[in-house]
Amino acid sequence: MQPPSPAPRPVTQQHHGRTRTDDYDWLRDKESREVLDHLAAENAWTAERTAHLAGLREQIFTEIKARTKETDLSVPTRNRGWWFYSRSFEGKDYGVSCRVPVVDAADWTPPRPDGDAAPDQPALPGEEVLLDLNELAEGHEFFSLGGSSLTLDGTLLAYATDTAGDERYTVRVKDLGTTELLPDVVTGVLGGVTWDVDGRSFYYTTVDESWRPDKVWRHRLGTAQEADQLVHHEPDGRFWVNVGRSRDDRFLFIVSGSKSTTEWSFRDTAQPDGEFVVFCPRREGLEYNLEPAVVAGRDVFLVLHNGSGPDFELALAPVVPTDPDDWQPVVSHDPAVRLEDVDAFATHLVIHQRSQALTQLRIIELTEAGLGEDYLVEFDREVYTVGAGSNPSFDQPLVRLGYTSLSVPSSVYDYDVRTRELTLLRRAPVLGGYDPEDYEEHRIWATARDGEQVPISVVARRGAWDDGPVPTLLYGYGAYEASIDPYFSIARLSLLDRGAAFAIAHVRGGGEVGRRWYDEGKLGNKPNTFNDFVDCARHLVETGRATPETLVAEGGSAGGLLIGAVLNQAPELFAGAVASVPFVDTLTSMLDSTLPLTVTEYEEWGNPEDDPQAYDLIASYSPYDNVTAQDYPPILAETSLNDTRVLYVEAAKWIARLRATAVGRRDFLLRTEMEAGHGGVSGRYKSWHDRAFSLAWILDRMGLAETGSDR
């Protein structure tokens, strides 16, 4: 076989006096038989080029499966008189959600279900199955649950499903008393729904033509969708909307937000005829969120905002529209501590924050007089990730939290605020005798070319670096202030146990080191993201941890843009690169305001249609526009036909241009999932096969394809 070579069909455009020619934009027509045939040919070529890895792929899949406890369940979470948990079963792709009644209202210790119970046997006495996702997914190549929501009395369950991968969900309502579906069907919903306190109506959001969530609707049970009430419409193309209910069930919120500005409206359900009112009208650059609380016996809003500094401050305000000048500081702005979120409970507050590129949970106890002691929940590892888990009950005296690291599997704890005791409830099992102490993980710092210190998290088998460099997979993202914190992966063990290392480059554009870290990697500072990743790779090489001959890069979505830009800048540093659903045709997408996400992301990337400087900046790094006649390392691009966030055409065009332009090896593969969305295939077994494909290719690039796992 020969690699597909699509014919160039040049289209020339003028923007701000600049001429731009695109040879492959004709690949955009996903309804075209010619385009579909081309994608099929690319898949066939990828299959041909990776056929020698079939045995390794199957071996990795078998390893993932053997290490995973397939029949398992989650730790029960208490809410409104019930314990909720999910179950999984060997041979089943999807989970089952269940509940049992709370027996002792004073006892917050979760019950211990039988994790090995057969599908036809209850894990706890009185178990009620709420949703069996395997039944809902039957007959569909793709399935995703957008969310599920119970009425406050627990009698009705609304759930949203997507069977195409385009994130347009259909909502149905199940009567839990009869197990029958109500006649209500609501289509075109983004995600799930929020029940009103009356239990007879719910709120949901829909998107406009450019896939921007712009409308909030109210649906009353027993009526047609055409009769739904439009509650809120956001006309500003930079803003998206969301709707939700507070933990104490008193308030409903509608949030309008852009990349830099937010506006909250609230409705007090204690007033049945009340309307949504704006808490603080939007001010350009002011971000805030609201959390209802009771402090010293007084109903208040906790306001987390950036009005006093970029790393946010926590303040108090009355539960009425309030000007920022009247917000009373509780936790003042500190440039060394990024405040990210706050949860309020009857006896305490939980603040999610980060400092020195590590996540932290902070407790502020509440007393009759007001705010009490303020302290951190401490952990002693060098590198870890901690965050609050499911904490739905306002009256709970415990904080459910999640903890993980690159070597410690996902762990669930309860922290008792009354006794300050931390209790491990569950650590995700890894079958086969796994021991975290067999691995070593570290936080190292690379000096970027502008002098900035960039954190890198690394993990490998203990002693792997004692004899010199080891093959390394370097992962990065760097956008939207999203932090790629250290996390455990069973699939990753198939790399580590063959002698490889894994590293995360916490590059600018993410949020790992606070808001500054994000600001220094967006808009005009975007090149810092790419430079940081290259400089992290060079640091690994120069310090003897890795070599260019066995260093592989990986990133997805905006991280795929990162990979494409890095390969244009320093292809000689890498033995290969994986780019998943890659945002590599950045300039074309940002020039088209009709595409999903474009307008809402002007504040992330700039508006090249109206701003010549933004055009020139994006043109300078857009991977597709900067492919040159140089020797690139082997590349595996993975995309999905039904992705609405990053269209498949971006990866297709990029690979086509690479093949036509590059010199040297020109080993470029495109793999398109024909029944999937932005998150890839659905179902855990398909997902394991999918990851096994990528890992086998990565190991081949590292020279470890013939190396067996140590375990």
Side-chain angles (χ1 to χ4, degrees):
M1 292 181 65
Q2 293 296 315
S5 181
R9 300 175 188 173
V11 176
T12 300
Q13 294 179 329
Q14 293 278 339
H15 297 278
H16 313 296
R18 287 80 161 161
T19 300
R20 180 170 180 258
T21 299
D22 190 341
D23 288 335
Y24 300 105
D25 205 59
W26 63 271
L27 293 171
R28 183 175 303 278
D29 184 5
K30 66 182 289 188
E31 306 299 326
S32 163
R33 172 45 55 190
E34 184 180 15
V35 171
L36 293 175
D37 287 345
H38 171 72
L39 297 178
E42 288 281 14
N43 282 346
W45 173 246
T46 297
E48 170 76 12
R49 287 286 297 127
T50 60
H52 65 292
L53 299 174
L56 178 58
R57 291 196 294 266
E58 188 59 33
Q59 185 178 357
I60 293 173
F61 171 81
T62 301
E63 291 168 6
I64 297 171
K65 190 172 184 291
R67 288 172 171 141
T68 303
K69 191 176 189 298
E70 297 181 69
T71 298
D72 204 359
L73 45 72
S74 65
V75 177
T77 297
R78 178 172 161 176
N79 193 27
R80 300 192 195 97
W82 298 87
W83 289 103
F84 296 88
Y85 55 97
S86 61
R87 300 179 62 183
S88 63
F89 303 103
E90 184 175 357
K92 301 286 188 180
D93 265 313
Y94 303 96
V96 177
S97 59
C98 308
R99 69 178 180 182
V100 295
V102 171
V103 176
D104 183 352
D107 186 3
W108 285 86
T109 305
R112 294 184 177 275
D114 180 2
D116 296 316
D120 59 347
Q121 297 294 321
L124 283 170
E127 178 179 277
E128 177 184 356
V129 173
L130 301 177
L131 284 179
D132 185 337
L133 301 189
N134 298 288
E135 293 179 358
L136 297 178
E138 191 171 349
H140 300 289
E141 286 293 320
F142 179 91
F143 175 81
S144 173
L145 181 70
S148 62
S149 179
L150 281 165
T151 53
L152 269 60
D153 64 8
T155 61
L156 298 177
L157 175 68
Y159 63 93
T161 60
D162 167 23
T163 56
D166 59 4
E167 299 182 63
R168 268 58 166 186
Y169 292 88
T170 297
V171 175
R172 293 177 173 84
V173 179
K174 182 179 180 181
D175 184 324
L176 297 178
T178 66
T179 71
E180 299 295 325
L181 294 179
L182 300 188
D184 303 74
V185 177
V186 181
T187 61
V189 174
L190 184 70
V193 307
T194 297
W195 284 101
D196 204 337
V197 295
D198 62 7
R200 301 305 300 169
S201 59
F202 59 73
Y203 296 86
Y204 63 93
T205 61
T206 59
V207 298
D208 62 12
E209 295 79 7
S210 62
W211 202 77
R212 175 181 67 96
D214 71 324
K215 294 183 179 69
V216 175
W217 303 83
R218 185 179 188 179
H219 174 78
R220 296 185 184 277
L221 295 181
T223 66
Q225 184 174 359
E226 292 75 18
D228 288 354
Q229 174 191 1
L230 178 61
V231 178
H232 180 85
H233 176 225
E234 175 54 66
D236 190 328
R238 299 176 305 151
F239 284 73
W240 59 89
V241 298
N242 199 3
V243 61
R245 191 179 64 241
S246 61
R247 180 179 286 101
D248 63 2
D249 296 323
R250 177 177 169 181
F251 295 96
L252 289 162
F253 294 111
I254 294 176
V255 185
S256 292
S258 74
K259 297 291 183 182
S260 62
T261 306
T262 50
E263 178 182 82
W264 284 61
S265 299
F266 67 95
R267 179 188 148 214
D268 188 345
T269 62
Q271 303 172 11
D273 298 325
E275 300 291 330
F276 282 93
V277 295
V278 175
F279 173 73
C280 174
R282 67 190 65 177
R283 298 184 181 184
E284 195 68 31
L286 176 64
E287 299 174 61
Y288 70 90
N289 61 37
L290 301 180
E291 175 76 356
V294 179
V295 178
R298 183 168 63 103
D299 291 328
V300 297
F301 281 143
L302 297 172
V303 188
L304 191 67
H305 67 93
N306 67 343
S308 300
D311 287 295
F312 286 71
E313 174 179 272
L314 183 64
L316 293 180
V319 291
V320 294
T322 307
D323 188 89
D325 291 340
D326 297 323
W327 298 347
Q328 302 172 11
V330 173
V331 178
S332 298
H333 176 265
D334 180 350
V337 180
R338 170 69 161 96
L339 304 182
E340 296 189 320
D341 203 358
V342 60
D343 296 323
F345 302 89
T347 60
H348 58 280
L349 310 179
V350 179
I351 298 176
H352 309 242
Q353 63 183 45
R354 59 176 63 242
S355 180
Q356 288 295 305
L358 284 177
T359 53
Q360 299 171 327
L361 279 186
R362 179 174 181 174
I363 308 295
I364 300 180
E365 296 183 3
L366 298 177
T367 68
E368 291 183 0
L371 302 178
E373 292 193 60
D374 180 344
Y375 55 90
L376 296 177
V377 181
E378 299 283 359
F379 295 90
D380 59 4
R381 295 187 74 89
E382 179 183 353
V383 184
Y384 63 87
T385 301
V386 62
S390 179
N391 294 283
S393 297
F394 182 73
D395 294 324
Q396 65 186 63
L398 309 173
V399 179
R400 177 68 54 82
L401 61 89
Y403 174 89
T404 188
S405 77
L406 292 170
S407 66
V408 178
S410 177
S411 308
V412 178
Y413 288 85
D414 267 351
Y415 178 78
D416 193 321
V417 180
R418 299 164 298 187
T419 63
R420 300 193 182 181
E421 292 179 330
L422 192 63
T423 302
L424 176 64
L425 301 177
R426 183 180 192 271
R427 178 156 288 162
V430 182
L431 304 183
Y434 176 79
D435 185 351
E437 296 308 311
D438 290 340
Y439 303 83
E440 57 180 298
E441 53 185 325
H442 304 287
R443 169 63 54 78
I444 60 178
W445 298 80
T447 302
R449 62 197 68 182
D450 64 355
E452 186 60 76
Q453 294 296 298
V454 182
I456 309 172
S457 299
V458 297
V459 64
R461 292 279 294 185
R462 189 165 299 281
W465 290 292
D466 290 352
D467 297 324
V470 298
T472 301
L473 175 60
L474 180 62
Y475 185 88
Y477 187 73
Y480 307 117
E481 203 177 2
S483 299
I484 309 300
D485 295 308
Y487 63 97
F488 181 80
S489 164
I490 283 181
R492 187 191 302 140
L493 297 178
S494 292
L495 278 182
L496 303 183
D497 289 347
R498 286 176 170 82
F502 175 77
I504 303 172
H506 302 288
V507 297
R508 279 173 282 185
E512 288 90 339
V513 192
R515 175 53 65 90
R516 174 183 71 86
W517 208 243
Y518 172 48
D519 289 339
E520 292 182 7
K522 64 184 285 193
L523 295 172
N525 295 322
K526 192 63 203 172
N528 285 335
T529 303
F530 318 131
N531 296 344
D532 284 355
F533 192 87
V534 170
D535 294 340
C536 285
R538 289 202 169 108
H539 180 80
L540 293 175
V541 172
E542 291 168 359
T543 56
R545 289 184 178 271
T547 66
E549 291 75 23
T550 58
L551 178 61
V552 177
E554 184 178 23
S557 195
L561 158 62
L562 165 68
I563 297 303
V566 162
L567 294 180
N568 285 332
Q569 181 184 144
E572 74 283 353
L573 271 177
F574 304 97
V578 177
S580 301
V581 289
F583 184 39
V584 283
D585 193 13
T586 322
L587 185 56
T588 299
S589 292
M590 293 307 300
L591 282 167
D592 188 348
S593 60
T594 69
L595 287 178
L597 305 179
T598 293
V599 174
T600 61
E601 297 201 351
Y602 284 159
E603 292 175 309
E604 179 80 22
W605 313 100
N607 180 358
E609 191 171 10
D610 292 342
D611 182 355
Q613 289 185 323
Y615 181 97
D616 290 341
L617 177 69
I618 296 173
S620 72
Y621 65 70
S622 175
Y624 178 66
D625 291 273
N626 289 279
V627 172
T628 61
Q630 60 180 328
D631 186 9
Y632 289 84
I635 296 171
L636 172 61
E638 301 174 311
T639 189
S640 299
L641 185 65
N642 295 327
D643 190 346
T644 54
R645 296 173 182 262
V646 180
L647 303 185
Y648 75 91
V649 68
E650 300 209 19
K653 289 171 59 176
W654 182 48
I655 292 299
R657 177 165 281 182
L658 280 163
R659 284 217 193 96
T661 307
V663 298
R665 291 165 286 184
R666 298 197 306 161
D667 186 3
F668 311 124
L669 303 179
L670 174 66
R671 181 167 168 258
T672 304
E673 294 288 352
M674 307 306 285
E675 298 286 347
H678 192 64
V681 296
S682 68
R684 58 176 174 174
Y685 296 106
K686 288 182 181 178
S687 177
W688 295 346
H689 277 295
D690 198 55
R691 189 56 182 157
F693 186 98
S694 305
L695 289 176
W697 187 88
I698 290 167
L699 286 165
D700 199 28
R701 304 282 71 74
M702 293 176 168
L704 297 176
E706 304 301 323
T707 303
S709 173
D710 288 347
R711 303 180 62 241

